[in-house]
């Protein structure tokens, strides 16, 4: 599988002598984890948190190939399991959030999409996540529950790219997480569907075995799983684990 380049973003410029923590996190966590990182830095002076956000499957591939990181947060248990099977984790992962799917369409829903089955209508340009990505695996679960097979115009390596195809007008509809739809605001219209309850994704987080600062990494994991992180995640629309 081709490995995509990961965008690394810090919460701020490192201070001289600062401890740097590198967190690999699912793309759907970008907004929430950026805020969590800022709060963590404020609570731990002298700490600089840097993030790599991408599809969970791509992040696991990067880690398997030797990428240096301290913490891994996946959008599903399957990819965290791959990391565990590869001997990459220091201790057991902690489940910290859940997420469900929704349909996003261009504002005002001009194509009148009202159900998941409507995504099979002729002439509708639909985009989804690739099957190996958590949101793609969840979409396939919904397809089986509904009894349909989508014919997307593209399959993206991360959920934020699905959203981007819709907001840019390159697609009429996409299947994303409710948190991504909420973050997009009035750039999209959301269409909920009951079968989403059949494909709830659980998000685990873990310290990595090769962490350069395992004590700091553990503090970050505890921060995410504790009330400061949970408050931010709730506000973004994530469910409790």
């Amino acid at each position: 599988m081709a490995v995509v380049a990961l965008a690394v973003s810090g919460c701020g410029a490192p201070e001289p002598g600062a401890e740097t923590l590198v967190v690999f996190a699912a793309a759907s966590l970008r907004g929430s984890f950026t805020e969590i990182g800022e709060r963590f830095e404020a609570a731990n002076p002298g700490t600089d948190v840097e993030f790599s956000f991408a599809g969970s499957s791509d992040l696991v591939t990067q880690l398997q190939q030797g990428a240096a990181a301290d913490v891994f947060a996946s959008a599903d248990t399957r990819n965290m399991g791959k990391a565990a099977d590869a001997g990459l984790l220091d201790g057991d992962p902690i489940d910290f959030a859940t997420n469900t799917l929704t349909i996003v369409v261009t504002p005002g829903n001009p194509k009148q999409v009202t159900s998941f089955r409507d995504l099979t209508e002729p002439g509708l340009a639909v985009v989804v996540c690739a099957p190996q990505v958590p949101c793609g695996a969840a979409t396939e679960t919904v397809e089986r529950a509904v009894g349909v097979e989508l014919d997307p115009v593209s399959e993206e390596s991360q959920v934020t790219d699905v959203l981007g195809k819709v907001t840019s007008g390159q697609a009429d509809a996409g299947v994303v997480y409710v948190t991504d739809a909420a973050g997009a605001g009035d750039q999209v219209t959301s269409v909920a569907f009951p079968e989403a309850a059949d494909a709830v994704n659980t998000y685990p987080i873990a310290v990595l075995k090769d962490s350069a600062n395992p004590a700091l990494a553990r503090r970050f994991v505890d921060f995410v799983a504790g009330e400061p992180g949970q408050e931010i995640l709730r506000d973004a629309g994530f469910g409790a684990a």
Side-chain angles (χ1 to χ4, degrees), residues 70-112:
D70 300 290
V71 174
F72 174 44
S74 174
D76 68 350
T77 55
R78 183 179 67 171
N79 281 289
M80 183 61 77
K82 290 179 182 178
D85 291 343
L88 298 173
L89 306 186
D90 180 10
D92 295 331
I94 295 173
D95 296 339
F96 67 93
T98 58
N99 214 346
T100 54
L101 297 175
T102 191
I103 298 166
V104 288
V105 297
T106 49
N109 196 5
K111 299 289 187 176
Q112 296 299 298

Side-chain angles (χ1 to χ4, degrees), residues 79-203:
N79 281 289
M80 183 61 77
K82 290 179 182 178
D85 291 343
L88 298 173
L89 306 186
D90 180 10
D92 295 331
I94 295 173
D95 296 339
F96 67 93
T98 58
N99 214 346
T100 54
L101 297 175
T102 191
I103 298 166
V104 288
V105 297
T106 49
N109 196 5
K111 299 289 187 176
Q112 296 299 298
V113 175
T114 61
S115 69
F116 192 87
R117 187 177 295 275
D118 285 349
L119 298 180
T120 63
E121 289 294 319
L124 190 71
V126 178
V127 61
V128 299
C129 291
Q132 69 271 17
V133 183
C135 59
T139 300
E140 288 190 330
T141 297
V142 174
E143 288 180 73
R144 290 190 293 270
V146 178
V148 300
E149 185 175 347
L150 301 184
D151 183 23
V153 295
S154 70
E155 295 180 338
E156 303 299 323
S157 64
Q158 53 187 340
V159 68
T160 49
D161 290 341
V162 175
L163 183 67
K165 291 280 189 178
V166 178
T167 58
S168 65
Q170 297 177 68
D172 300 314
V175 182
V176 301
Y177 294 119
V178 294
T179 53
D180 297 293
D186 59 8
Q187 296 182 82
V188 296
T189 294
S190 296
V191 180
F193 54 94
E195 297 87 357
D198 296 317
V200 177
N201 275 13
T202 297
Y203 285 56

Side-chain angles (χ1 to χ4, degrees), residues 19-116:
E19 293 184 295
T20 299
L21 188 75
V22 178
V23 178
F24 275 26
S28 53
L29 293 167
R30 180 184 293 273
S32 300
F33 265 38
T34 298
E35 184 176 351
I36 286 173
E38 292 169 352
R39 293 255 197 108
F40 184 77
E41 287 179 348
N44 295 269
T47 298
D48 177 59
V49 183
E50 296 181 354
F51 292 103
S52 286
F53 295 105
S56 298
S57 57
D58 287 331
L59 294 175
V60 172
T61 299
Q62 288 283 319
L63 293 170
Q64 289 172 328
Q65 294 179 347
D70 300 290
V71 174
F72 174 44
S74 174
D76 68 350
T77 55
R78 183 179 67 171
N79 281 289
M80 183 61 77
K82 290 179 182 178
D85 291 343
L88 298 173
L89 306 186
D90 180 10
D92 295 331
I94 295 173
D95 296 339
F96 67 93
T98 58
N99 214 346
T100 54
L101 297 175
T102 191
I103 298 166
V104 288
V105 297
T106 49
N109 196 5
K111 299 289 187 176
Q112 296 299 298
V113 175
T114 61
S115 69
F116 192 87

Side-chain angles (χ1 to χ4, degrees), residues 218-229:
R218 177 58 58 190
R219 287 208 300 275
F220 182 83
V221 168
D222 291 343
F223 194 87
V224 170
E227 184 53 32

